[in-house]
Amino acid sequence: MRQTTFIKPAEVTRQWYVIDGAGQTLGRLATQAAAVLHGKHKPTFTPNVDCGDYVIVINADKIVMTGDMEGKKYYNHSSYRGGLRTRTARVMKESYTVEWVELAIQGMLPHTRLGDQQRKHLFVYTGAEHPHTAQKPVVMEIKR
């Protein structure tokens, strides 16, 4: 009989991955990045432990979105009366590229305290350069 092993937080080993977003579709990139952040790609996945890895997304300004760029809307409220802010996907891609990619990836993570820890392991940059070369990140290929 096989036994399910649960990893403890002290036993977690983390890896750094770089995802090049040039020419990638936003949804496909977000699902695979969220799986790595959550730790689902590891055989030692434990649902109640943050066992995910770090993800760096570069060339976020070259990520494409298929579908209706004007129909997809992002909402935010300032908690004041009349404070609802609505932005289309086109405005988000042109003016707030990093936030646009982060929202797509973070929306696929759990909305709990565990998800808050996992969200801190995501780094998004618009250019091809990133300041995490000392961590020796591995290039991750996205399936098209």
Side-chain angles (χ1 to χ4, degrees), residues 17-144:
Y17 290 100
V18 173
I19 299 175
D20 188 7
Q24 299 290 334
T25 306
L26 178 65
R28 290 186 185 271
L29 183 138
T31 53
Q32 294 182 13
V36 171
L37 286 169
H38 195 51
K40 292 263 188 155
H41 66 294
K42 294 183 177 182
T44 59
F45 170 70
T46 306
N48 61 336
V49 176
D50 181 16
C51 57
D53 292 328
Y54 291 91
V55 174
I56 304 164
V57 178
I58 58 173
N59 290 325
D61 51 344
K62 297 176 184 166
I63 294 174
V64 297
M65 178 178 167
T66 58
D68 189 12
M69 294 285 283
E70 299 300 326
K72 169 73 175 163
K73 302 211 184 306
Y74 293 88
Y75 298 99
N76 192 358
H77 203 283
S78 66
S79 299
Y80 287 97
R81 182 182 301 179
L84 179 66
R85 182 183 67 203
T86 306
R87 294 179 180 154
T88 63
R90 183 174 311 283
V91 171
M92 290 292 286
K93 183 180 185 319
E94 291 170 358
S95 303
Y96 307 97
T97 308
V98 173
E99 184 181 354
W100 178 60
V101 175
E102 284 177 350
L103 281 173
I105 296 171
Q106 292 173 358
M108 298 180 186
L109 292 173
H111 303 289
T112 58
R113 286 182 289 182
L114 179 64
D116 293 341
Q117 290 176 358
Q118 294 168 351
R119 278 186 259 290
K120 293 177 184 175
H121 298 164
L122 174 67
F123 302 94
V124 180
Y125 300 102
T126 53
E129 300 295 322
H130 62 85
H132 306 285
T133 54
Q135 284 75 24
K136 297 181 182 72
V138 177
V139 176
M140 182 177 167
E141 294 295 324
I142 299 294
K143 301 172 194 151
R144 291 186 183 240

